[in-house]
Amino acid sequence: MKKIKIGDLEKIREKARRTSSLRQNKARARITVHMGTCGIAAGARKILTALLDEVGQNNLDDVIVTTSGCAGLCSREPMATVEIEDEPPVKYVDLTNEKIKEILNEHIIKGNIVKEYALAIGSERTH
Amino acid sequence: MKEYRLHTLICAGTGCVACGALDVKEELEKEIVKQGLEDEVKVVTTGCQGFCERGPIVIVQPGDIFYQRVSKEDIPHLVEEHLLKGRPVKSLMYVPGPEKPPIPTMMDIGFFKHQRLLVLKNRGRLDPENIEEYIGFDGYRGLEKALAEMTPEEIIKEIKDSGLRGRGGAGFPTGLKWELCRKSPDEIKYIVCNGDEGDPGAFMDRSILEADPHAVIEGMIIGGKAIGAHKGFIYVRNEYPLAVKRLKIALSQAEEYGLLGKDILGTGFDFPIEVIQGAGAFVCGEETALLKSVEGKVGRPRPRPPYPTEKGLWGKPTNINNVETWANVPAIILRSAEWFSSIGTEKSKGTKIFSLVGKINNTGLVEVPMGITLREIVFDIGGGIADDEEFKGVQLGGPSGGILTEEHLDTSVDYESLTEAGAIMGSGGMVVLSENDCMVDTARYFLNFIQEESCGKCTPCRVGSKRMLEILDRIVEGRAEEDDLKKLKILAEKVKKYSLCGLGQTAPNPVLTTLRYFEDEYKAHIEEKRCPAKVCKNLFKYVITDRCTGCTFCVRNCPTDAIEGEVGNKHKIIQEDCTKCGTCLEVCPVDAVEAVDNE
């Protein structure tokens, strides 16, 4: 390990930023993948993995990826709910790996709701 | 790179480790792999969360979900339900009382809600054995600022303006001490961290060292820069193995990163730190005795002045502060004196850590802002007295401190108010006593501790504490005579006045404060040979009342076969065989056993 100098600490801090944001609940957006038995059977595990890969590749340290139980609409699984600060939550249905990546890029990063995959806007809050 | 979506933080303080936290961790890691979550869920061991009563503790972030008394057997369900499916497990949450709903999040639990964490801010959120986690949470930023942007005088001014006072108990202004040491004319100066925590029931320094060792190290390097010292020593008791281990890991990591040792952060400032393991003598918490012990000599105090800031280690100016004091320094430098001094009272700034023990529901370690009342600590944070007993008093400051009563519950917790009430801030031991605690016995307990720990150098402490203990022994055993109370008072005053060091000077405090507030209890022991709390074994007896249903449960559980009786008939205790262990009282299903005064 090379000895660090004044200013180098910031780089290490940068690297650890996601760790600290997760533990301090500092988040701009939250994506909940519904992981009831029905969701898992419909492929929600794969959706979650793809989503986490995409979050990592985009260095999104202010986005929380979480899971919850069945959303109640088992026939349209896999499902995910996107919540952005001060905006109503949006529920997406019939997800695939490609769709969740698109939702991340369009909705979370650029702020445009992907209407063709959305079930409803402004459903019940989950937290 | 895939990101973790959940962090599970397992408390690995001494308390939780003793309750099996490491087994829980092992099981958790196994189960996470089994359910294929190892790339999504990170397992982190942290320092003590403070709520030792409820260990082992697991916190899931994000979400701040608090799980308590987690066992190995709970893990598969927890992993599947919460970590996989995102459904927090109610059965492992904290329940504040009978018929109340469980509380999911940490910050909604009374024990945590009323605390204010400055020193312990990292206790439950980072891995103390990983320097990068500390750096990630603003670690070493204060040091960077102190070395790059501030002169030693500016650092000292900042500490003085903050109003920080010594957390070891006496409350001497820290900035002033630094200034005195800086101005002592000598080329060689030393910095010492006093981690010789020895009060019965006190464990805040251990917890800081276990949970956030880098904060102490960072504070010391800043102090070294301010004072012009070029070496630091951390004196820790040998019976704190986990604290010593984490401290040594932290020191070697800091050195590896160039934050300690030669040419710190490339600024040309050299400052190494050495750990000294003490053998656990209480007197070594006294600064002059501690310095002797660091030098490798017998740890005995000497008269002051000269103070260590003039003549300390090997005759050189030495600045000695307590663990908690050092841990306060980085944040003050980083965030400003103004911020720090906005917390607390007029003369006592910042926070204080207390170890809350005794007859209290929520045993643990709490950090509170100065100026909070004892009532808030005991009832809002501590959750009140265990087993629905009545509050009787709170013992502050360990064997050097005093006992305060019901009438003091609204006293502000700051250096001046506590001293005025007859106790001391001390290092932060807080023992809560209930109606079933005998004040004479409590005073005797602390005096016995002092008497054993007296180093023997001066006569008032060595002989005086022994004679006082003999009188207290006579009182609790029912052999006391009329004038014993008078003798005890005279001795207490003399020991207080003529002892050499703080240990002896404060030794009579528990006796003096109990005499001040509970003299009637002493009189009951001496004049009526009666212990009102039914603690002193010679002064009461157990009897079985008519409520007895003759179930023979006590007969079978008595360890000395001192109860006779047949099924269906009222049982009887044979007094000469009874050792007053209280087992019958505990096991009786119909509360038929009572403690009564001797006839």
Side-chain angles (χ1 to χ4, degrees), chain A residues 95-113:
Chain A
L95 294 173
T96 62
N97 288 2
E98 287 66 40
K99 284 183 187 172
I100 195 76
K101 283 181 191 174
E102 194 181 331
I103 290 164
L104 184 80
N105 285 301
E106 281 299 315
H107 190 171
I108 305 275
I109 298 177
K110 296 183 192 151
N112 310 315
I113 296 171

Side-chain angles (χ1 to χ4, degrees), chain B residues 135-191:
Chain B
I135 294 171
F137 284 94
D138 287 340
Y140 289 107
R141 274 182 77 188
L143 175 68
E144 193 177 32
K145 184 176 171 189
L147 293 186
E149 301 166 25
M150 297 170 85
T151 64
E153 288 75 17
E154 282 168 350
I155 300 172
I156 289 176
K157 183 169 185 305
E158 201 70 14
I159 298 296
K160 277 173 88 173
D161 291 349
S162 75
L164 177 65
R165 295 167 68 176
R167 298 293 192 246
F172 190 81
T174 306
L176 183 61
K177 194 189 260 187
W178 288 20
E179 188 174 60
L180 289 169
C181 193
R182 176 163 183 84
K183 287 183 175 164
S184 278
D186 208 311
E187 283 297 298
I188 298 170
K189 289 173 190 173
Y190 296 106
I191 294 261

Side-chain angles (χ1 to χ4, degrees), chain A residues 3-4 6-7 9 13 15 18 20 23-25 35 45 48-49 52-53 56 64-65 67-69, chain B residues 1-3 5 7 36 40 44 62-63 84-86 125 132-133 135 137 140-141 144 255 257 265:
Chain A
K3 305 243 174 198
I4 57 177
I6 295 276
L9 280 171
R13 209 167 292 130
K15 211 171 81 186
R18 177 149 176 89
S20 51
R23 289 186 208 161
Q24 292 177 72
N25 288 322
M35 298 270 280
R45 282 303 266 123
L48 181 67
T49 307
L52 286 168
D53 275 336
I64 287 178
V65 177
T67 60
S68 84
Chain B
M1 189 191 91
K2 191 144 85 175
E3 295 282 358
R5 66 180 166 86
H7 289 189
E40 296 169 25
V44 185
L84 175 63
K85 295 183 178 168
R125 72 179 186 191
E132 296 211 354
E133 293 221 339
I135 294 171
F137 284 94
Y140 289 107
R141 274 182 77 188
E144 193 177 32
E255 200 162 337
Y257 277 67
L265 286 169

Side-chain angles (χ1 to χ4, degrees), chain B residues 256-278:
Chain B
E256 193 190 318
Y257 277 67
L259 293 158
L260 184 70
K262 289 227 168 297
D263 191 22
I264 294 173
L265 286 169
T267 60
F269 176 59
D270 298 340
F271 190 80
I273 292 178
E274 190 181 325
V275 177
I276 307 280
Q277 279 160 265

Side-chain angles (χ1 to χ4, degrees), chain B residues 203-425:
Chain B
F203 49 100
M204 42 271 150
D205 292 348
R206 189 196 74 209
S207 189
I208 296 170
L209 291 170
E210 285 176 5
D212 207 9
H214 286 288
V216 178
I217 295 168
E218 187 183 353
M220 287 179 74
I221 308 169
I222 294 171
K225 176 71 184 174
I227 288 157
H230 285 280
K231 178 150 192 194
F233 295 91
I234 302 178
Y235 190 90
V236 203
R237 341 192 93 209
N238 207 23
E239 63 259 50
Y240 283 180
L242 191 59
V244 171
K245 179 187 155 212
R246 296 210 174 130
L247 196 51
K248 287 186 169 169
I249 291 171
L251 286 169
S252 72
Q253 286 181 349
E255 200 162 337
E256 193 190 318
Y257 277 67
L259 293 158
L260 184 70
K262 289 227 168 297
D263 191 22
I264 294 173
L265 286 169
T267 60
F269 176 59
D270 298 340
F271 190 80
I273 292 178
E274 190 181 325
V275 177
I276 307 280
Q277 279 160 265
F282 183 64
V283 73
C284 286
E286 197 282 334
E287 59 180 15
T288 60
L290 185 148
L291 295 177
K292 283 286 161 231
S293 180
V294 173
E295 290 175 5
K297 296 177 182 139
V298 176
R300 280 185 168 174
R302 63 160 175 78
R304 298 174 303 181
Y307 287 92
T309 47
E310 302 154 61
K311 276 191 190 316
L313 282 177
W314 298 285
K316 301 294 180 189
T318 301
N319 186 89
I320 176 164
N321 284 125
N322 158 274
V323 170
E324 191 180 335
T325 315
W326 287 120
N328 265 297
V329 170
I332 295 174
I333 297 299
L334 182 65
R335 300 187 63 174
S336 87
E338 201 186 346
W339 160 77
F340 187 81
S341 62
S342 70
I343 304 159
T345 66
E346 195 196 337
K347 287 181 176 169
S348 303
K349 301 297 188 188
T351 59
K352 179 75 193 87
I353 305 173
F354 289 98
S355 44
L356 196 54
V357 296
K359 296 277 177 63
I360 187 117
N361 278 317
N362 300 340
T363 303
L365 201 69
V366 304
E367 181 173 355
V368 290
M370 297 276 192
I372 194 172
T373 63
L374 285 172
R375 188 186 299 280
E376 288 171 275
I377 298 179
V378 173
F379 291 93
D380 295 344
I381 296 174
I385 312 303
D387 303 327
D388 288 327
E389 291 173 14
E390 283 291 315
F391 173 84
K392 187 166 185 179
V394 49
Q395 213 281 346
L396 282 158
S400 305
I403 293 174
L404 298 182
T405 64
E406 179 108 42
E407 62 174 294
H408 302 106
L409 273 176
D410 293 307
T411 303
S412 151
V413 173
D414 61 67
Y415 292 99
E416 280 72 24
S417 304
L418 291 180
T419 307
E420 202 176 298
I424 56 167
M425 178 77 81

